Amino acid sequence: MKRFAMFLFLASTLLFVSCNDDDDSPIEIDQSLIPGDWSLTEVKSENGKVTATIENIPVSGGYSLSGKDYTAEATFTKASEADKPNTFVSSGGFTLVAKITIPTQSIDYEEAIPDFIGAGDWKIDGTKLITTVADKDVSFDIIALTAQTLSIKKDIKETVEQQGITFEVTGSQIFTLTKK
C-alpha cells in the first residue's frame, strides 16, 4: 500500500501532466503580479477519492495530501522581448504527507520530495496558468492571485495500476505560493 500512496502522490503532484479545465467562478487575473520570487507555503487536496476492485470486491475510500518542511521556491520571469516566452525555474522541495482511508484500514505515508517543479515556460490564458516543461503543457486554474499570494488548482482524474490492481483516483490538488 506504500507503493500505492507514493503513486497517488505522483499522479496528483506531477505539476506538468494533464488536468481538467472546468471552472465555475472565474476571477480576473492581473498577469503583472506573476513575475517574482515565490515560496511554496501549502499543498493540500480536496475531494480525494479512490476506488478499485480487489479480489472481485469493490473498494472505495478517500485520500488527503498535504505538505510540510517546505524549502521549495520558484522564480517567474516576464520575457524582455515580445517574441520570447516567459520563463520559470524552481529549487528545493517539501515533505509529502498522505493519508489514505479505505474500509477497515487507514494508511499514513510521508515522503521527502527533493525537487519542486523544475524549469520551463509560462503564460496566462484567461484564468489559467499554463506551464511548459520538456515540451509538455499543463493548465492550472488560478483560484487566487494577489501581490503576495498565488494559489493554483489541478483537478485529478487518473487510472493507476499498482500491484495488479487498477485504482481510479479523483480529486483536486491545490498549491499555494507566497511572494518573497
Side-chain angles (χ1 to χ4, degrees):
M1 200 50 113
K2 280 187 179 181
R3 283 187 182 166
F4 172 68
M6 185 56 187
F7 195 80
L8 178 64
F9 164 72
L10 291 174
S12 65
T13 61
L14 286 175
L15 292 177
F16 302 104
V17 294
S18 64
C19 69
N20 182 337
D21 291 339
D22 295 339
D23 188 4
D24 295 332
S25 56
I27 61 172
E28 291 226 10
I29 303 300
D30 180 353
Q31 183 170 329
S32 70
L33 297 175
I34 302 285
D37 297 323
W38 297 85
S39 296
L40 181 66
T41 54
E42 183 178 34
V43 174
K44 67 180 181 179
S45 59
E46 290 181 342
N47 305 316
K49 301 214 180 325
V50 60
T51 60
T53 301
I54 302 172
E55 296 180 7
N56 295 321
I57 299 170
V59 177
S60 63
Y63 71 88
S64 65
L65 300 175
S66 62
K68 67 179 187 178
D69 304 329
Y70 297 105
T71 61
E73 298 179 347
T75 299
F76 289 83
T77 305
K78 181 174 173 42
S80 59
E81 299 175 32
D83 62 340
K84 302 283 184 187
N86 299 320
T87 60
F88 69 92
V89 64
S90 72
S91 63
F94 63 98
T95 300
L96 165 78
V97 179
K99 182 176 190 82
I100 302 168
T101 306
I102 57 175
T104 73
Q105 190 172 18
S106 180
I107 300 138
D108 293 317
Y109 179 75
E110 287 192 14
E111 175 81 20
I113 308 301
D115 298 316
F116 183 40
I117 58 175
D121 301 337
W122 68 273
K123 65 182 175 181
I124 300 297
D125 184 7
T127 60
K128 309 287 184 199
L129 170 64
I130 301 170
T131 60
T132 305
V133 173
D135 294 323
K136 287 187 177 184
D137 287 347
V138 176
S139 177
F140 299 91
D141 292 317
I142 299 173
I143 57 175
L145 177 60
T146 68
Q148 295 302 312
T149 303
L150 169 63
S151 292
I152 55 177
K153 177 179 160 183
K154 179 180 165 220
D155 291 333
I156 307 298
K157 186 174 184 179
E158 302 283 335
T159 300
V160 178
E161 180 78 25
Q162 186 65 30
Q163 299 177 345
I165 301 170
T166 301
F167 294 90
E168 296 293 324
V169 181
T170 60
S172 298
Q173 188 76 31
I174 297 172
F175 301 89
T176 300
L177 297 102
T178 302
K179 198 166 257 186
K180 294 173 41 174

